[in-house]
């Protein structure tokens, strides 16, 4: 797939997008010696010399310019987040004080340490250092980092235009009357939701009947408008599986058709004349969702410049036997045991059309094609539905 360009967006539009620029610290963090507790700021040498009662010379709030302590026998009343007054180096928390008549008295027996409750300037990071590098998915925590660098806009991967196309004469949308020989259209809405959940929100759905001329006309229009097409249905070997021929006639170059896996063996992938990525997924709901999660989402993230985040693993808590010489994607429910290990309980669907069985699953494990038996306690690769 071709890479998606960078797009400069406001911070509130950046969450979930892939970062395309380095973020460098605008200033030291914190940018000054910062008070960490409400209380008083003192020169610790005075306490060390036996002083326990200090005159409150002034008050320093967060956001106030720094007020110096001119007499070491005094103190400055300070609030959390304030600049540490010059001439002081230690904070005595308000819980350890009695303040009355303009004086602060430290409770008997309390022993502070020099420099306590002071967040030293530059101790988190120094001005100019790289605090975020390109290739990560922007999180809410990253928004705080970007804003602290003084940026109100940030370069992220352009959001691709995606069109999800369901094919099939038997499909009827929710809300419309359905005949006994028809089925509800569920794949398209589920695929749009899966893609949107990962930040690919420029995603719309279309339903097409299995009519070659209609398929050719509408798919051509979608190819002209979109970066990525995700089709569901019409890619197997039946008489009404017109999608591969229609795509070929429209100039979409086949890269592969069929994968040695279950579910999802009939999957088709190709590239259009101007680089559009075309994923044609099987029509069975479990197959369609697994293929979208396993191939479409990682491909979109790769094209967005996302760094590879490495494999995730879980422990099978039940033995699994699988006879077919195919890679097996097995839905599972994951929990963390009291020994800290994440354990996966198999939740196999009855068929690849049994999408209701996916409710309550967290993802699926990947069982290698060259083996038949997988014992309980075995670590296996795991793919969460919500974290490609």
């Amino acid at each position: 797939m071709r890479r998606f360009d960078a797009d400069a967006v406001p911070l509130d539009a950046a969450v979930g997008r892939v970062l395309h620029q380095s973020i460098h610290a605008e200033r030291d963090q914190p940018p000054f010696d910062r008070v960490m507790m409400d209380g008083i700021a003192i020169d610790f040498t005075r306490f060390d010399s036996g002083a326990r009662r200090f005159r409150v010379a002034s008050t320093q709030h967060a956001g106030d310019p720094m007020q110096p302590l001119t007499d070491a026998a005094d103190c400055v009343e300070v609030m959390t987040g304030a600049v540490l007054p010059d001439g002081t180096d230690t904070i005595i928390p308000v819980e350890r004080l009695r303040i009355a008549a303009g004086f602060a008295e430290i409770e008997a027996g309390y022993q502070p340490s020099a420099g306590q409750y002071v967040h030293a300037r530059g101790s988190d990071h120094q001005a100019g250092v790289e605090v975020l590098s390109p290739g990560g998915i922007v999180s809410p925590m990253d928004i705080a980092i970007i804003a602290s660098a003084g940026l109100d806009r940030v370069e992220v991967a352009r959001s691709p235009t995606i069109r999800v196309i369901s094919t099939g004469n038997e499909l009827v949308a929710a809300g419309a009357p359905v005949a006994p020989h028809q089925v509800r259209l569920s794949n398209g809405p589920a695929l749009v939701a899966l893609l949107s959940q990962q930040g690919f929100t420029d995603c719309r759905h279309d339903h097409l009947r299995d009519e070659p001329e209609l398929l050719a006309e509408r798919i051509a229009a979608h190819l002209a408008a979109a970066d990525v097409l995700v089709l569901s249905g019409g890619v197997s070997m039946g008489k009404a599986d017109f999608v591969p021929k229609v795509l070929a006639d429209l100039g979409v170059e086949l890269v592969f058709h069929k994968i040695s896996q279950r579910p999802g063996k009939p999957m088709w992938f190709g590239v259009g004349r101007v680089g559009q990525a075309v994923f044609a997924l099987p029509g069975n709901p479990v197959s369609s969702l697994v293929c979208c999660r396993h191939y479409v989402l990682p491909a979109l993230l790769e094209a967005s410049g996302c760094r590879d985040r490495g494999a995730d693993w879980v422990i099978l808590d039940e033995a699994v036997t699988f006879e077919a010489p195919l890679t097996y994607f097995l839905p599972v429910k994951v929990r963390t045991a009291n020994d800290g290990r994440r354990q996966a309980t198999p939740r196999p669907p009855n068929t690849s059309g049994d999408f209701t069985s996916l409710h309550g699953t967290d993802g699926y494990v990947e069982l290698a094609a060259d083996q038949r038996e997988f014992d309980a306690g075995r670590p296996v690769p795991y793919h969460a539905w919500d974290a490609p």
Side-chain angles (χ1 to χ4, degrees), residues 85-213:
D86 189 29
T88 70
D89 58 9
T90 300
I91 307 300
I92 308 299
V94 68
E95 294 85 358
R96 301 294 189 174
L97 298 170
R98 187 172 68 87
I99 300 178
F103 284 85
E105 186 172 350
I106 300 173
E107 75 176 32
Y110 178 65
Q111 182 59 52
S113 57
Q116 69 177 18
Y117 303 124
V118 175
H119 191 183
R121 174 176 178 168
S123 58
D124 293 347
H125 58 251
Q126 295 183 336
V129 302
E130 185 181 59
V131 288
L132 291 176
S133 58
I137 296 176
V138 177
S139 70
M141 288 66 71
D142 295 335
I143 294 296
I145 296 171
I146 297 167
S148 74
L151 301 176
D152 61 354
R153 299 180 69 83
V154 63
E155 289 189 1
V156 295
R158 177 179 62 84
S159 184
T161 299
I162 303 172
R163 295 295 175 260
V164 174
I165 303 168
S166 300
T167 66
N169 297 345
E170 75 279 15
L171 303 178
V172 177
V178 61
H181 61 279
Q182 296 175 317
V183 296
R184 287 295 184 192
L185 190 159
S186 61
N187 284 5
L191 295 174
V192 169
L194 189 62
L195 295 169
S196 298
Q197 184 185 51
Q198 296 300 323
F200 298 104
T201 54
D202 186 1
C203 188
R204 287 188 286 175
H205 176 251
D206 193 10
H207 170 222
L208 305 178
R209 292 178 59 83
D210 288 323
E211 300 171 6
E213 291 184 2

Side-chain angles (χ1 to χ4, degrees), residues 4-30:
F4 303 135
D5 298 331
D7 187 15
V9 301
L11 291 192
D12 60 4
V15 174
R17 308 274 285 274
V18 177
L19 186 64
H20 267 225
Q21 70 176 90
S22 293
I23 305 297
H24 293 86
E26 179 184 43
R27 301 189 294 167
D28 291 344
Q29 177 60 29

